[in-house]
Amino acid sequence: MSVITSGGVDVRTLADALADRVDGEVRFDDGSRATYATDASNYRQVPIGVVVPYTVDAAVEAIAVCREYGAPVLSRGGGTSLAGECTNHAIVIDWSKYCNRVLSVDPDARTATVEPGIALDDLNAVLAPHGLQFGPKPATHSHCTLGGMIGNNSCGSTAQAYGKTVDNVRRLEVLTYAGDRFWAGPTSTEEFERIQHAGGPVAELYTAMRDLAETSGDLIRERYPHIPRRVSGYNLDSLLPEAGFDVGRALVGSESTLVTVLRAELDLVPVPPTRTFLVLGFPSIEDAADAATEIAEHDPLTIEGLDSVLVNDQKTKRQNVEALHLLPEGDGWLVVEFGGQTKDESDEKARRMVAALQDRDVVPHDREFGDEAHQKEILEVREAGLGATAWIPDRQDTWEGWEDAAVPPEHLGRYLRDFGDLLDEFGYQNVSRYGHFGQGCVHCRIPFDLVTEEGIAQYRAFIQRAAELVASYGGSLSGEHGDGQSRGALLPVMFGEEVVHVFERFKALFDPEDRMNPGKVVHPYQPTENLRLGAGYGPKVDVELHFSYPKDRGQFDRAALRCVGVGNCRSHSGNVMCPSFRATNEEEHSTRGRSRLLFEMLEGQYRESPIADGWRSTEVRDALDLCLSCKGCKTDCPVNVDMATYKAEFLSHHYEGRLRPAAHYTMGWLPIWARIASVAPALVNRLARIPGLSRAAKRLGGVEPDRPVPRFAPQRFTDWFAERPPGPPAPLGDVMIWPDTFTDNFHPSIGRAAVTVLEDAGYRVVLPPGHLCCGLTWISTGQLATAGRMLAHTAEVLAAALSDDVPLVGLEPSCLAVFRSDAPELLPDDPNVAAVAERATSFAELLERTPDWSPPHIGGTAVVQPHCHQHAVGGFGADQTILDRAGIETTTVEGCCGLAGNFGFEDGHLDVSAAAAEHALLPAIREAGPGARVIADGFSCRTQVEQLGGTAGLSEASRPLHLAEVLALQLGARRGVPVRVDRPGRTAERVPAEAVERALASERVRQRS
């Protein structure tokens, strides 16, 4: 930590004062500063420090300390800002971790009072039982915070019906940098007089605001565009008498440059009881835009535009593939939703709209979707726009910087044609144009060159011309994302210098010393300053990489840059990503936070960065320590960040030539220890359960002391198979089962069950020759040189053993993922690896495509936990198909089980592991009841259920089963042949209840669990 910043702030004394006086987490460490150095924009400014207050009052005290030391302040919510308003050389106050409460809900008045850190989806979940919601819904609704929405004046698709955030805020409790705290809202004559009677700085502030509104009112009325998406500039029009002199709404969209929002009283709207959902296909996106205004006359909830570039980008990246096939014919589409009190009402609105469009010169193809799953899939096509248009293979990289202009909706088609011409003039090709077409707002990412002086100059010239084009249409530079640094310097083009001078006067009333998010909106940095890349960008990767990074041109620096900051990894619902964030609510432990640290690690190799020690960085190591290597981000992240791979690469270089953690030698070398244990498994099991010896051995081995060590089976699957007589040729030929370490040594009944089912399906089962390993445990612990050698040998043997038509069946999803994903990326030039990857298939995938075979009817219900690696590589669709055909009604768990291979067994991880299980798995088991049938193909998932299931009320008799066991048991019952499912020592395999309680009460996970 340096003592004095360039701004003259005494950092050390400031840090001490904040730590002494603020009830919260005060962070001036290099890792935290690196994590918060950028948002989702093109800009990067390393903060002075970060404060994570436990309460609103703690944040008030933090600002008091900052005021005493003259330190600038910036409030941060979800950190998804695209214009640079959420990065600054300041004290960053992160509201999202603790100040996320709903303080009150008044269903009759349709209001709610909230703290600024609550995520929109969390708020709407609280409101749902009342049939209410907060109207605006940005694409980041799962994780954007209300404070951030207020700061940016966010909108989203539903602003078509409900307006911008400013239209849905009743009052704000705010704090000025000077320390004045008050509620701001509409100001009647009586309220104004009351404030004046009270006197003091607030009264002076109100008087000055009224004078500003009176002296500049005509100018504001003349220069402010009268369009639904005017987000640029301050909301000075809210101070006009006809707007009720609404100070609260005037402060909405001020991007932390005027006040700190402490609490918000929000207006709510009813959730429409029914919806009708249509997609209209047009010959071009411009034709679609031309029709948007006419559609708006029919009172829709949303009118969202998609162009063929966005659709083709998602096809290229294989995102939302099923939804793309649902779209009607066209090269431009409008997604339109209608709401109603009854289905007949919403359907009638849709029918009238479709009928009205028949009279247009360009008549669209229309398709209605009644299936809610299809509706969700199509909405995901639109909401994925930002990520889907980034990092397209074999194309120039695209960036924000001119991504949300808005024009009068009636002129949108003409504007798109002119904007397309402007893009062509500057040579920017393949630019998707999509967005909120009913309100004239267009989103896009453009292939700016932000790493050369010439490219940056061209970028600056382009946005100048683009601003002039928008202004010529009477539009707004921003229709949703705010001005920040991207557009602050361009505001004179839109408003004129006189109005910008009024902005400066308004800013001076609240923040005369320019300590609130300085350099944004008013007196702004230039759009070409503080660039995250810039003309000096030149990251150095001074090591020989193990993985090939095929999607990143073989470059780790591109992989580290891949994250676009959209923040889906901060969601607490849906899919898998990111279990460590869901457990901790901590930015550093999100996929995005880790990506930022890896970026800074490479930055520190050639220019100033908080992370200056490269691959030896303890800050990066500590952030990656809580990465479960679940691979959820490989699929769930809209730009397919693969943090498990990055972690393995980092660990390899971090520990190169050095002693590793003990867990890397115990669990990382598990296949070797398992082979040794197979000589006397009963003895090993007994030794592992001698109380004092067991605990000491686990401590020495880096294993969590409260985790029972899984028992080795008395007979391995491979030994059992070797004792069987060779089977005769089968109608469908041979299949080779991969005898992974976990199936072979711990749960051999899965292998036996798979043989039973596959033989019933018409196959002859064979096993590979000798003792082979896929290297999974060495990969997950970053011992990549060893893993590479092991995989090369294994692939050579397998390629020779597999004839042309023999599939390799993986029973353990994580090992199958190695063959399909990790191995080809570790050994991209090895033809044996490629051949094995092509043959590798899951048990369910093989059965699904097996001709003339169907599973036995089983019926009943089951809680199903898909393995995260299966989710990321291959998918769960085949398993679901087999379960459906067997008549099993499933509850499929979203999210990671929390054990994740070696992660949950490592010392110090029990709290995060248990909290991850409490996200979805354990609640699903509780709901299913003590005798629940649990199906989990992954060894980790089954072990987590066995060891933590008791806390969810799962009975001792309910053993989690592999799909193969479920099918084999029924086949055996049908034939009258018993099938043995062995989990040796089942009753001893639970983590003590008090240890689980202690883990969930730890400071690291207490907030979420």
Side-chain angles (χ1 to χ4, degrees), residues 22 29 169 215 261 290 360 367 421 468 503 543 549 641 666 705 803-804 807 856 876 879-880 971:
V22 174
D29 62 282
V169 167
T215 58
V261 175
D290 289 336
R360 296 185 60 81
R367 183 171 297 169
D421 291 342
E468 292 167 356
F503 292 164
V543 297
Y549 303 99
V641 167
T666 52
S803 58
D804 290 343
F876 188 70
D879 293 71
Q880 189 64 60
L971 286 173

Side-chain angles (χ1 to χ4, degrees), residues 320-654:
N320 303 310
V321 175
E322 294 181 4
L324 299 178
H325 292 305
L326 300 174
L327 298 175
E329 180 183 342
D331 263 351
W333 297 267
L334 293 178
V335 180
V336 186
E337 286 185 276
F338 292 94
Q341 292 301 308
T342 66
K343 193 66 169 66
D344 286 344
E345 180 185 350
S346 60
D347 286 348
E348 180 60 25
K349 291 179 182 179
R351 281 194 292 269
R352 289 178 180 175
M353 182 268 294
V354 170
L357 294 178
Q358 304 308 304
D359 296 330
R360 296 185 60 81
D361 292 338
V362 177
V363 179
H365 299 276
D366 64 273
R367 183 171 297 169
E368 181 178 339
F369 294 91
D371 187 321
E372 290 187 7
H374 287 164
Q375 295 174 14
K376 182 179 179 182
E377 290 170 359
I378 290 171
L379 288 176
E380 286 174 353
V381 173
R382 162 60 193 87
E383 291 183 351
L386 190 156
T389 55
W391 302 99
I392 307 300
D394 303 319
R395 292 238 298 270
Q396 285 182 278
D397 301 332
T398 59
W399 305 98
E400 49 280 341
W402 188 262
E403 78 293 329
D404 78 322
V407 298
E410 61 270 22
H411 300 317
L412 180 59
R414 287 198 298 121
Y415 166 74
L416 284 177
R417 294 176 178 90
D418 290 343
F419 184 55
D421 291 342
L422 183 64
L423 289 167
D424 290 341
E425 179 185 337
F426 277 79
Y428 296 136
Q429 302 297 316
N430 296 310
V431 176
S432 174
R433 292 164 295 160
Y434 62 96
H436 313 292
F437 278 22
Q439 296 194 316
C441 181
V442 180
H443 293 322
C444 59
R445 286 177 65 90
I446 299 174
F448 298 125
D449 170 6
L450 298 178
V451 297
T452 68
E453 291 183 0
E454 296 81 4
I456 293 168
Q458 184 185 40
Y459 156 68
R460 183 63 180 86
F462 173 82
I463 61 174
Q464 182 72 31
R465 290 278 302 282
E468 292 167 356
L469 175 62
V470 168
S472 73
Y473 275 94
S476 176
L477 308 184
S478 172
E480 182 160 32
H481 300 154
D483 298 317
Q485 186 172 343
S486 291
R487 289 170 279 274
L490 298 171
L491 290 176
V493 176
M494 173 181 167
F495 288 103
E497 294 288 354
E498 291 177 282
V499 171
V500 170
H501 180 61
V502 179
F503 292 164
E504 294 169 355
R505 289 170 54 199
F506 191 53
K507 161 88 166 172
L509 296 180
F510 286 91
D511 182 29
E513 298 179 10
D514 196 20
R515 298 287 80 191
M516 296 294 297
N517 204 12
K520 312 300 163 93
V521 185
V522 169
H523 307 301
Y525 293 108
Q526 286 297 308
T528 53
E529 293 183 85
N530 303 317
L531 286 172
R532 188 178 177 213
L533 303 183
Y537 181 65
K540 300 183 186 304
V541 179
D542 53 358
V543 297
E544 185 175 344
L545 297 173
H546 294 280
F547 288 100
S548 58
Y549 303 99
K551 294 182 179 179
D552 294 298
R553 304 172 192 168
Q555 299 171 232
F556 187 80
D557 54 285
R558 285 182 61 81
L561 183 62
R562 178 171 283 271
C563 172
V564 295
V566 70
N568 285 12
C569 50
R570 289 174 55 94
S571 166
H572 285 285
S573 61
N575 293 324
V576 171
M577 179 182 72
C578 170
S580 55
F581 177 81
R582 289 175 175 179
T584 64
N585 219 29
E586 174 58 56
E587 174 73 15
E588 182 179 296
H589 298 309
S590 68
T591 306
R592 181 178 70 181
R594 295 183 178 109
S595 293
R596 298 299 185 238
L597 280 161
L598 288 169
F599 174 86
E600 291 293 333
M601 179 189 83
L602 299 179
E603 288 288 279
Q605 302 298 295
Y606 74 100
R607 64 182 178 187
E608 186 175 353
S609 168
I611 309 299
D613 46 356
W615 297 92
R616 299 297 197 192
S617 168
T618 55
E619 292 84 5
V620 177
R621 180 202 65 198
D622 291 347
L624 289 170
D625 178 59
L626 291 191
C627 171
L628 282 75
S629 295
C630 69
K631 288 187 177 289
C633 49
K634 184 179 178 72
T635 295
D636 297 343
C637 171
V639 290
N640 308 115
V641 167
D642 185 0
M643 193 55 62
T645 295
Y646 308 166
K647 176 180 179 178
E649 186 78 61
F650 173 84
L651 291 176
S652 176
H653 302 297
H654 183 77

Side-chain angles (χ1 to χ4, degrees), residues 732-761:
L732 298 181
D734 290 353
V735 296
M736 181 179 287
I737 288 181
W738 172 250
D740 62 88
T741 295
F742 310 101
T743 300
D744 195 26
N745 293 276
F746 298 103
H747 294 171
S749 65
I750 292 171
R752 297 194 303 268
V755 171
T756 298
V757 176
L758 293 174
E759 289 180 345
D760 178 78

Side-chain angles (χ1 to χ4, degrees), residues 573-577 582 636 862-868 870-871 876 880 883 890-898 916-928 933-936 941 944-945:
S573 61
N575 293 324
V576 171
M577 179 182 72
R582 289 175 175 179
D636 297 343
V863 173
V864 182
Q865 171 69 66
H867 192 285
C868 295
Q870 183 178 14
H871 171 83
F876 188 70
Q880 189 64 60
L883 290 166
T890 59
T891 298
T892 304
V893 175
E894 291 183 333
C896 180
C897 74
E918 282 290 355
H919 168 72
L921 172 59
L922 297 182
I925 292 173
R926 285 191 191 96
E927 186 172 344
R933 174 195 288 153
V934 181
I935 301 174
C941 308
Q944 186 80 317
V945 173

Side-chain angles (χ1 to χ4, degrees), residues 798-852:
L798 287 176
L802 290 166
S803 58
D804 290 343
D805 57 350
V806 174
L808 179 68
V809 179
L811 301 175
E812 170 57 43
S814 55
C815 296
L816 180 61
V818 169
F819 288 130
R820 285 178 156 175
S821 178
D822 298 301
E825 292 183 25
L826 266 175
L827 302 171
D829 300 320
D830 189 326
N832 294 324
V833 168
V836 172
E838 185 177 351
R839 304 284 176 74
T841 186
S842 77
F843 177 72
E845 288 167 350
L846 178 64
L847 292 177
E848 183 186 29
R849 64 175 183 261
T850 297
D852 302 321

